[in-house]
């Protein structure tokens, strides 16, 4: 199974993503937060808690939040999460 991930580095990126997704099909972000439709198999990752809160406020999940606010840590946490998903099916 393919896993895709969208990584956010600032709340403004979340806002722009939300605006563009809502414009794609007229749906609200909350319709993209489940396991069907546009984000099937899609993980949402945030560089830190402020960005994660922006995801939640937009009706999206924060599947991965970096343990420290660096790009390197976010990449590591994304890789760990994807590896874990593949190992546990």
């Amino acid at each position: 199974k393919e896993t895709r991930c969208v990584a956010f580095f600032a709340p403004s990126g979340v806002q722009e993503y939300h605006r563009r997704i809502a414009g794609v099909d007229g749906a609200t972000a909350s319709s993209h937060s489940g396991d069907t439709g546009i984000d099937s198999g899609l993980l949402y990752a945030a560089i830190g808690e402020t960005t994660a809160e922006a995801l939640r406020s937009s009706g999206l999940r924060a599947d991965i939040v970096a343990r420290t606010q660096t790009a390197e840590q976010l990449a590591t946490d994304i890789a760990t999460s994807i590896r874990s998903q593949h190992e546990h099916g």
Side-chain angles (χ1 to χ4, degrees):
K1 178 181 175 187
E2 181 178 297
T3 303
R4 297 170 294 145
C5 183
V6 179
F8 295 95
F9 292 86
S12 60
V14 174
Q15 294 164 356
E16 181 64 15
Y17 179 81
H18 178 262
R19 185 184 70 77
R20 289 177 181 260
I21 288 298
V24 167
D25 61 7
T28 62
S30 61
S31 70
H32 298 291
S33 62
D35 290 342
T36 61
I38 198 164
D39 81 345
S40 182
L42 182 62
L43 296 174
Y44 294 102
I47 189 78
E49 196 52 50
T50 301
T51 305
E53 184 54 39
L55 280 166
R56 294 182 199 106
S57 293
S58 294
L60 298 169
R61 300 177 316 272
D63 298 305
I64 302 162
V65 180
R67 290 178 287 150
T68 58
Q69 293 184 4
T70 66
E72 292 83 4
Q73 186 63 57
L74 182 56
T76 297
D77 292 346
I78 290 168
T80 299
S81 178
I82 291 171
R83 193 175 312 112
S84 177
Q85 281 188 352
H86 286 272
E87 289 174 357
H88 297 103

